[in-house]
Amino acid sequence: KQEVTQIPAALSVPEGENLVLNCSFTDSAIYNLQWFRQDPGKGLTSLLLIQSSQREQTSGRLNASLDKSSGRSTLYIAASQPGDSATYLCAVGNAGNMLTFGGGTRLMVKP
Amino acid sequence: EAQVTQNPRYLITVTGKKLTVTCSQNMNHEYMSWYRQDPGLGLRQIYYSMNVEVTDKGDVPEGYKVSRKEKRNFPLILESPSPNQTSLYFCASSSLPNYGYTFGSGTRLTVV
């Protein structure tokens, strides 16, 4: 059974820092990997989707990489802002359209 | 605008009173799914549907029912809600094969 782990569970940084969020998964036979953002008590907003044949995707200040063979993905946030404060969830797409979520990284960016 | 719409956003109900949470998507997606999110347990899948009239259990299906009579709608039914079903519920959809999921805004359910 696929297991997805996100490290760290929580992170607090000063505004302007570049930061990296980590996601690891146990079964490398994935279809894709998706990063989401969730604000407290709110829905999930899709940030980036990386298909299994891709190595990375970029959107603005966000860059996500995927290394299927080692079971890892990273989300890089450049020049962090207080508005980036949220929980970031990594989700792996498996066979049968199953989606397995990590526990999330709760990010706080201080002004 | 492509979206998944859930209703209601908030619901407080009493134990045993049947309720339905609706979910509708306008992207012609074949795949739809329900999740619940609880502190410390993350997001867990309740039920999913690969297409009309095709549904299957996820990881935590006990106490829930679903139906998929139309492609766009996937309601979640709680026949006899109990307090342990107090949670934040999300509906999601995707195309087949999976080109990424779109989530609804969530339904916060409280059962007293």
Side-chain angles (χ1 to χ4, degrees):
Chain A
K1 184 181 177 183
Q2 179 76 269
E3 292 181 6
V4 181
T5 304
Q6 291 186 245
I7 294 174
L11 183 62
S12 181
V13 300
E15 181 177 5
E17 272 203 10
N18 302 324
L19 53 98
V20 175
L21 308 182
N22 295 293
C23 172
S24 62
F25 46 94
T26 55
D27 185 349
S28 62
I30 68 170
Y31 279 72
N32 52 40
L33 187 144
Q34 198 165 359
W35 283 93
F36 293 91
R37 169 188 172 136
Q38 185 178 27
D39 294 287
K42 304 288 188 182
L44 279 68
T45 301
S46 179
L47 298 173
L48 290 165
L49 170 70
I50 311 176
Q51 298 294 348
S52 61
S53 59
Q54 298 174 322
R55 297 282 294 184
E56 66 176 347
Q57 284 286 334
T58 298
S59 176
R61 293 183 294 108
L62 304 179
N63 175 276
S65 67
L66 173 64
D67 185 342
K68 259 182 54 173
S69 59
S70 66
R72 295 175 188 270
S73 176
T74 60
L75 178 66
Y76 175 82
I77 303 176
S80 58
Q81 303 170 357
D84 294 331
S85 298
T87 295
Y88 290 81
L89 293 162
C90 163
V92 172
N94 307 300
N97 258 56
M98 300 296 288
L99 196 63
T100 304
F101 281 87
T105 294
R106 193 168 62 253
L107 173 65
M108 171 76 73
V109 181
K110 298 178 182 177
Chain B
E1 180 189 353
Q3 59 185 1
V4 176
T5 303
Q6 292 179 230
N7 280 297
R9 292 292 309 278
Y10 302 92
L11 179 60
I12 300 175
T13 190
V14 296
T15 299
K17 185 177 181 182
K18 181 179 178 179
L19 66 92
T20 299
V21 183
T22 65
C23 173
S24 180
Q25 50 93 5
N26 62 2
M27 296 165 281
N28 202 35
H29 283 168
E30 293 85 4
Y31 183 91
M32 298 186 74
S33 181
W34 276 102
Y35 292 84
R36 61 178 288 174
Q37 186 178 35
D38 302 288
L41 296 175
L43 279 140
R44 296 177 292 169
Q45 191 179 52
I46 304 170
Y47 267 95
Y48 64 95
S49 169
M50 303 287 269
N51 215 323
V52 176
E53 302 292 1
V54 180
T55 64
D56 209 345
K57 298 177 181 178
D59 295 322
V60 288
E62 295 77 20
Y64 304 94
K65 284 175 57 177
V66 292
S67 69
R68 187 90 183 272
K69 294 186 172 64
E70 306 164 283
K71 196 172 187 179
R72 63 182 291 125
N73 296 323
F74 190 46
L76 179 69
I77 303 156
L78 285 72
E79 294 270 4
S80 183
S82 62
N84 65 12
Q85 292 178 298
T86 293
S87 187
L88 181 57
Y89 291 86
F90 290 102
C91 180
S93 73
S94 77
S95 57
L96 286 176
N98 177 8
Y99 289 123
Y101 283 77
T102 302
F103 277 75
S105 299
T107 295
R108 184 166 293 283
L109 172 66
T110 302
V111 184
V112 299

